Amino acid sequence: MYSDGEKVFIEDDDLCLTCENYVKEFDCPLLSALVQGDVFLEDSLVVTRCGFYKEFKRVLHIVRNNKKNENNNTN
């Protein structure tokens, strides 16, 4: 993680990319403090142990269409 002016950039090594607070809700207290200017990031930082971290797991399901095509009516 690093900042450039008023922007905060998340890097591939940061734990944020798999955190529910960042991915799903964008409600991370750490990022909020950085954006609001309550905390300043003077150098780059790799987020590996964050007290706000909640693991976000994606769950995918295959949906099959078992209906026959209604346009192929055979009489």
Side-chain angles (χ1 to χ4, degrees):
M1 173 184 302
Y2 66 96
S3 66
D4 184 18
E6 296 178 3
K7 295 181 181 179
V8 177
F9 295 92
I10 307 294
E11 297 187 276
D12 290 341
D13 295 336
D14 290 321
L15 198 60
C16 304
L17 294 178
T18 58
C19 180
E20 183 176 321
N21 290 324
Y22 175 72
V23 175
K24 187 176 179 184
E25 301 172 8
F26 199 71
D27 189 28
C28 174
L30 174 60
L31 292 175
S32 295
L34 286 168
V35 170
Q36 292 174 3
D38 297 331
V39 176
F40 295 100
L41 188 60
E42 293 182 2
D43 200 1
S44 64
L45 167 74
V46 178
V47 180
T48 56
R49 294 175 148 200
C50 180
F52 306 113
Y53 181 76
K54 296 182 205 172
E55 186 176 7
F56 178 71
K57 292 184 180 181
R58 297 184 193 285
V59 180
L60 301 175
H61 299 280
I62 296 175
V63 178
R64 299 186 192 276
N65 186 358
N66 291 333
K67 283 183 162 183
K68 291 183 179 179
N69 191 348
E70 294 176 5
N71 294 331
N72 290 338
N73 292 336
T74 55
N75 293 342

